[in-house]
Amino acid sequence: MKNIAVIGAGTMGNGIAHTFAQFGYQVNLIDISEASLKKGIATITKNLDRMLAKEKISEEDKQQTLANISQFTSLEEGVKNADLVVEAATENEKIKLDIFRTLDEVCPENTILASNTSSISITKIASVTKRPKQVIGMHFMNPVPIMKLVEIIRGYNTTDEVTNTIMELSTKLNKVPTEVNDYPGFVANRILMPMINEAIETLYNGVAGVQEIDTVMKLGMAHPMGPLQLADFIGLDVCHSILEVMYDGFKNPKYAPCPLLVNMVRAGKLGVKSGEGFYDYSESRKAENVSAQFKA
């Protein structure tokens, strides 16, 4: 397995492409937007420069990684020789199902189709293809080049052979693959998102302020960042979407998004990506300044 196609040049997609390319795989990075492709490659270059400055890679390593990545705006052209396709499009069920329908039609018969979805059922995604045995979840963590975990999600029909292939491939990327079954939120988000949602409820109910909530979790629970800062980093729209998927899947009110989260998403306050969420990022991308609406 040498030819990898990655669909989506956003935060997760360019990180996945970077990681495969750094380990010598030929990567086709695919996005319908030429501007998004250019931005994705610029991000990969910036991240490689950061690694170069820290002497984790050489200039030759950097240039070879970039040389291993080709750019495509045509899905059909980008996947025609792929051994593995990793879909990293936006976390929207309709978009993902449409992509997998197309992939099933245009990819070679032996191609494994993987999704980086953080919550949407792999079994449902596989159901729109004629190759459900070859559909699997590869949920990378952000930032992809640094984070070790890959959640490997088996759909109802995913074979042992495909699962083992993807587990071994993840190990070759210097990742730690962890196999989980296909239920809403899988493991990572089934545990993480209710915690983030509860932190937002705690703020919404006036129990404590933004920095106070994050400080308690960082210093009291040894979390590297507080749940509200982490929500901003993930994207409040993504958090909302994942909670909606779990609420729909389990029909349990404990997964219902907090009204404050719903309103912030409606208002476009999405966290780091929009410049403001629970913190204000207009002057720094670090969570140093609490957003004006949450200041006492």
Side-chain angles (χ1 to χ4, degrees):
M1 185 174 288
K2 291 297 293 182
N3 298 316
I4 312 296
V6 178
I7 299 173
T11 300
M12 296 305 295
N14 72 60
I16 294 167
H18 171 168
T19 301
F20 274 107
Q22 189 175 331
F23 282 86
Y25 293 89
Q26 297 299 310
V27 180
N28 288 352
L29 182 59
I30 306 163
D31 200 294
I32 57 173
S33 166
E34 187 75 41
S36 293
L37 284 170
K38 289 180 180 179
K39 185 178 179 181
I41 294 298
T43 298
I44 293 169
T45 304
K46 180 180 178 181
N47 290 335
L48 288 168
D49 284 337
R50 188 177 290 115
M51 296 173 74
L52 183 60
K54 293 179 179 179
E55 299 184 344
K56 292 184 177 181
I57 61 171
S58 66
E59 178 65 29
E60 183 180 355
D61 293 332
K62 171 190 167 182
Q63 296 303 328
Q64 187 57 59
T65 297
L66 291 172
N68 286 341
I69 303 174
S70 300
Q71 302 171 57
F72 292 83
T73 54
S74 166
L75 179 65
E76 185 170 353
E77 285 297 310
V79 303
K80 66 181 182 181
N81 295 316
D83 300 308
L84 168 69
V85 178
V86 182
E87 170 274 317
T90 186
E91 191 72 358
N92 178 289
E93 183 177 293
K94 182 181 184 305
I95 290 172
K96 289 186 186 294
L97 295 182
D98 287 345
I99 288 172
F100 274 80
R101 286 189 188 95
T102 303
L103 288 175
D104 190 46
E105 293 174 1
V106 301
C107 286
E109 289 184 5
N110 65 327
T111 303
I112 294 173
L113 306 181
S115 176
N116 182 59
T117 180
S118 53
S119 60
I120 298 169
S121 168
I122 298 301
T123 303
K124 188 166 189 177
I125 290 172
S127 72
V128 302
T129 76
K130 297 181 181 67
R131 61 180 87 190
K133 294 180 180 180
Q134 294 162 241
V135 179
I136 195 165
M138 288 186 80
H139 181 206
F140 291 86
M141 304 293 132
N142 185 28
V144 180
I146 296 172
M147 298 292 279
K148 289 287 190 181
L149 177 67
V150 184
E151 264 190 316
I152 307 298
I153 304 104
R154 293 184 67 132
Y156 189 82
N157 293 298
T158 309
T159 65
D160 290 342
E161 180 183 1
V162 166
T163 302
N164 292 337
T165 296
I166 297 303
M167 294 281 281
E168 290 170 9
L169 176 65
S170 301
T171 302
K172 291 176 181 176
L173 299 176
N174 199 25
K175 301 298 185 188
V176 179
T178 303
E179 182 182 337
V180 304
N181 290 319
D182 185 23
Y183 291 96
F186 314 133
V187 171
N189 283 317
R190 183 168 180 171
I191 295 171
L192 175 63
M193 287 301 152
M195 183 191 75
I196 286 176
N197 201 41
E198 193 62 32
I200 299 171
E201 286 276 3
T202 302
L203 176 65
Y204 179 58
N205 292 329
V207 178
V210 171
Q211 287 181 317
E212 289 75 15
I213 292 168
D214 278 352
T215 297
V216 167
M217 296 306 291
K218 286 189 288 185
L219 300 186
M221 313 304 166
H223 290 193
M225 65 174 71
L228 300 177
Q229 179 187 358
L230 180 56
D232 275 356
F233 181 72
I234 294 168
L236 301 191
D237 53 337
V238 176
C239 294
H240 179 268
S241 175
I242 295 169
L243 284 164
E244 288 279 25
V245 168
M246 293 197 294
Y247 182 49
D248 182 63
F250 291 116
K251 302 295 189 292
N252 188 324
K254 75 176 182 178
Y255 298 112
C258 174
L260 175 58
L261 174 60
V262 175
N263 277 344
M264 290 179 73
V265 171
R266 286 173 178 166
K269 308 295 186 182
L270 308 181
V272 176
K273 71 173 81 176
S274 70
E276 184 180 357
F278 295 105
Y279 294 87
D280 186 332
Y281 301 95
S282 58
E283 296 180 3
S284 171
R285 289 178 66 85
K286 295 180 180 179
E288 297 172 328
N289 302 311
V290 173
S291 295
Q293 73 182 99
F294 299 120
K295 288 183 178 178

